[in-house]
Amino acid sequence: MHTLDDFGWSSFFEGQVTDDERARWTPGRVVWEGRERYRVSTGHTEWESRLAGRLRHAAATRADRPVVGDWVLTAVHPDNGGATIHRLLARRSRFARAAAGRATEEQVVAANVDTVLLVTSFNDDFNLRRVERYLALTWESGANPVVVLNKADLSADHATWRAEMEAVSQGVPILVTSAQRGDGLAELHAIVRTGGTTAFLGSSGVGKSTLINALLGDSRQEILPIRERDDRGRHSTSARQLFCLTGGGVLIDTPGMRELQLWNADAGLAHTFADVQTLAAACRFRDCSHGGEPGCAVAAALERGELPADRLDSYRRLLREDAFLRSRHDEGARLKRTREAKQIARAVRLQYKLRRR
Ligand code: GDP
Ligand code: ZN
């Protein structure tokens, strides 16, 4: 049996609930999200939940809808095991991406993640540029990253790889693991036990599922798949997306986390490339593009060999990618404003006509 505290309930969330709300509603955490449907755990019980109509209409954008990891206030109906979600509490952190098929809308894929394990593996997947991207996404979300170098059994020379990773991770802890042989799993467990809510980022095949299974261990048998009834009354099952571990810690594993792109990540990029930013602060021109201007501190560091050229390239590429996504977003917002302005103009014209009649 779990309690709300096991799920990560804290004063940050408690402090948002008014006395009146506390009297009427029960706090819970979203452990599964389907289409317009949710599973909310109130600690000991799990409720099949829907959004209250008022909340559905008020949620102007998809970013305002609850997602896995969110804390919500619900009215529970013990007679039928259902619950209605009445309020979404403010998030401590959020992972967002451009909504599928609509580059202009933000979609949150997981909320209230405290620790992110950036998983890469020895040999095949080892890619510093990818780790930089994941670091930017993680800093941007408000969570804290830990780099996990998995498949240690595939390489005899961990020191070289670790040194390369250290140059990129800029002080972020690095853990070497082998899900197969068991190396580093005790340390990984300790991180997850004390790290609040943990999520995994990394390419397919690096061993995320294997690591998750190893972490779940004994908790596994408590985790029944979720049975769902679709609109035609057919039953299907689907995997849970948030797990409470025996001994402490919460894991989030959602499909959405696996397809993350950069999205409005300028703060995250600044954090990830703090070394480049520090150099750039010493350039003669404030808007220096580090492309050959006189007095460029970044170019000087490149020349002295203190800043690797591919790290600067990577920074530039990620900035461009982020700017591109943002420009599409701004264009979408502009079109929406134009549409709304036209609708208002039409409504005003109509009223004017009616009045003249
Ligand atoms: P995911 O796509 O990131 O979830 O990766 P999986 O957990 O499905 O693992 C992909 C493959 O890598 C599977 O065949 C695993 O058995 C294998 N694998 C996972 N961890 C290790 C490891 O530490 N060492 C080795 N050699 N293989 C591993
Ligand atoms: Zn410069």
Side-chain angles (χ1 to χ4, degrees), residues 69-120:
D70 263 322
W71 285 95
V72 292
L73 299 182
T74 62
V76 298
H77 316 295
D79 40 318
N80 64 6
T84 309
I85 299 174
H86 284 277
R87 194 183 149 203
L88 169 65
L89 297 182
R91 296 160 172 152
R92 276 168 79 93
S93 68
R94 66 221 280 283
F95 274 94
R97 63 167 181 171
R102 307 201 206 175
T104 60
E105 207 182 357
E106 182 180 70
Q107 182 183 10
V108 176
V109 296
N112 301 316
V113 174
D114 302 300
T115 304
V116 175
L117 301 177
L118 304 183
V119 188
T120 178

Side-chain angles (χ1 to χ4, degrees), residues 139-184:
W139 290 125
E140 186 68 29
S141 78
N144 291 312
V146 172
V147 173
V148 177
L149 273 169
N150 189 36
K151 306 200 185 180
D153 54 289
L154 296 184
S155 163
D157 175 23
H158 300 161
T160 313
W161 303 79
R162 184 193 263 275
E164 279 187 39
M165 190 58 80
E166 273 167 3
V168 157
S169 72
Q170 304 271 313
V172 167
I174 300 174
L175 184 65
V176 173
T177 62
S178 165
Q180 199 177 70
R181 211 166 54 186
D183 313 20

Side-chain angles (χ1 to χ4, degrees), residues 340-355:
E340 281 165 2
K342 279 185 182 155
Q343 276 165 5
I344 292 169
R346 209 174 295 134
V348 168
R349 269 201 308 276
L350 189 65
Q351 280 209 342
Y352 181 68
K353 269 192 211 150
L354 287 174
R355 227 179 292 139

Side-chain angles (χ1 to χ4, degrees), residues 119 121 124 149-154 177-183 202-213 253 258:
V119 188
S121 65
D124 45 341
L149 273 169
N150 189 36
K151 306 200 185 180
D153 54 289
L154 296 184
T177 62
S178 165
Q180 199 177 70
R181 211 166 54 186
D183 313 20
S203 340
S204 157
V206 294
K208 295 182 300 296
S209 313
T210 316
L211 288 169
I212 290 171
N213 283 338
D253 181 26
R258 300 192 169 199

